Amino acid sequence: MKVCIQLLIFLCFTVSYAQYTWSPATIYLNADRVLQGEAVIKQGGGFRTLPKESLRFRAHKKDKAQKIEASDIDSIVFTVSYTEKGNKRKVKKERKATFITMYVEKDRKRLHFLEVLKTGKVQLYGQSFGGGGGMSFVPMGSTPTSAGHIPNAPMIRFYGGHNRLFLSKGSDLAEVMYTRKAIAKFFSDCPDLVEKIKTEQLEKDDLNTIVNYYNTNCN
């Protein structure tokens, strides 16, 4: 029932998502090169039978796309177009979405593209998968502010929103978070926060609030 209520609330605010299709992008390569044009992320997966994630780039719409490996990329800033429903009408909007490459498996054999949702002592990242096996941009929030957070960015774990959320403490490895136990263990150096998580004062699905609490109140 709780999931159904969350889904209903989410659909009331959102009509459609800009899919992981060609979007204006600025790509920052590891060799201090910068590319500007259009790009699309090709989804891979953690399973060895799935292809590695990569980026397709073209300077202009009519140009032939070139493949760029995740290992060659430092970060990507997409300009994402999406549609929201407000006052019984559709409103077209844009936002900036910053992606970086991170490892999410301990063997560090595959890099993944993760969207930066929150910065600070602990970083929050998101990755979304669409129904057709593709990934989708999420029309919420904006780029991180100087205070290190994204305004108005609820974390929703189901189809259409970020269904994989990751935490990192400044390393090249981001840890996926699904359970209350795993989240409490990650924040074990902050007893007050662990208590709030275990006693459900903070919901495990609201990693945005949990990370903000840690970055503000914990050493």
Side-chain angles (χ1 to χ4, degrees), residues 55-72:
L55 189 80
R56 299 295 190 276
F57 167 79
R58 60 192 182 196
H60 305 285
K61 194 169 185 177
K62 294 183 178 180
D63 293 347
K64 183 178 179 180
Q66 66 181 86
K67 178 181 178 181
I68 304 177
E69 299 292 346
S71 58
D72 295 327

Side-chain angles (χ1 to χ4, degrees), residues 17-38:
Y17 293 98
Q19 295 299 310
Y20 252 165
T21 53
W22 290 99
S23 299
T26 301
I27 304 164
Y28 298 90
L29 301 175
N30 293 328
D32 293 329
R33 291 179 57 209
V34 179
L35 301 176
Q36 289 189 315
E38 296 181 329

Side-chain angles (χ1 to χ4, degrees), residues 118-187:
K118 186 177 289 291
T119 60
K121 290 177 289 187
V122 166
Q123 301 86 47
L124 175 64
Y125 303 102
Q127 189 180 57
S128 300
F129 292 83
M135 302 164 76
S136 59
F137 285 119
V138 183
M140 59 187 181
S142 60
T143 53
T145 66
S146 57
H149 68 280
I150 295 181
N152 305 318
M155 298 295 104
I156 305 174
R157 290 175 191 262
F158 51 81
Y159 172 76
H162 282 301
N163 47 27
R164 296 187 76 193
L165 299 177
F166 302 82
L167 297 176
S168 178
K169 290 183 177 178
S171 73
D172 62 350
L173 180 69
E175 300 180 44
V176 67
M177 293 290 150
Y178 286 128
T179 67
R180 190 179 302 278
K181 182 178 179 180
I183 296 169
K185 182 179 179 181
F186 184 89
F187 292 107

Side-chain angles (χ1 to χ4, degrees), residues 11-217:
L11 292 176
C12 288
F13 287 96
T14 305
V15 173
S16 63
Y17 293 98
Q19 295 299 310
Y20 252 165
T21 53
W22 290 99
S23 299
T26 301
I27 304 164
Y28 298 90
L29 301 175
N30 293 328
D32 293 329
R33 291 179 57 209
V34 179
L35 301 176
Q36 289 189 315
E38 296 181 329
V40 58
I41 293 173
K42 291 298 182 181
Q43 182 184 355
F47 298 105
R48 298 296 178 255
T49 55
L50 296 176
K52 293 182 179 180
E53 292 178 16
S54 62
L55 189 80
R56 299 295 190 276
F57 167 79
R58 60 192 182 196
H60 305 285
K61 194 169 185 177
K62 294 183 178 180
D63 293 347
K64 183 178 179 180
Q66 66 181 86
K67 178 181 178 181
I68 304 177
E69 299 292 346
S71 58
D72 295 327
I73 296 172
D74 177 72
S75 62
I76 313 162
V77 179
F78 288 98
T79 300
V80 183
S81 299
Y82 64 95
T83 303
E84 277 189 349
K85 184 177 180 179
N87 297 324
K88 297 183 179 181
R89 64 188 183 91
K90 295 180 180 179
V91 180
K92 292 183 178 180
K93 294 186 176 182
E94 287 187 347
R95 74 178 184 91
K96 298 293 185 181
T98 300
F99 281 72
I100 64 171
T101 56
M102 295 280 288
Y103 294 106
V104 300
E105 296 99 11
K106 291 183 179 179
D107 61 13
R108 288 177 166 81
K109 290 184 177 181
R110 285 174 177 247
L111 285 167
H112 296 258
F113 292 101
L114 305 180
E115 183 178 2
V116 180
L117 300 177
K118 186 177 289 291
T119 60
K121 290 177 289 187
V122 166
Q123 301 86 47
L124 175 64
Y125 303 102
Q127 189 180 57
S128 300
F129 292 83
M135 302 164 76
S136 59
F137 285 119
V138 183
M140 59 187 181
S142 60
T143 53
T145 66
S146 57
H149 68 280
I150 295 181
N152 305 318
M155 298 295 104
I156 305 174
R157 290 175 191 262
F158 51 81
Y159 172 76
H162 282 301
N163 47 27
R164 296 187 76 193
L165 299 177
F166 302 82
L167 297 176
S168 178
K169 290 183 177 178
S171 73
D172 62 350
L173 180 69
E175 300 180 44
V176 67
M177 293 290 150
Y178 286 128
T179 67
R180 190 179 302 278
K181 182 178 179 180
I183 296 169
K185 182 179 179 181
F186 184 89
F187 292 107
S188 60
D189 59 336
C190 185
D192 289 344
L193 178 56
V194 170
E195 180 66 18
K196 291 180 182 294
I197 294 170
K198 288 184 175 180
T199 58
E200 300 186 17
Q201 296 178 54
L202 292 174
E203 291 294 329
K204 67 180 178 64
D205 286 340
D206 191 8
L207 281 178
N208 193 45
T209 300
I210 291 173
V211 172
N212 187 57
Y213 183 97
Y214 182 92
N215 287 340
T216 302
N217 300 290

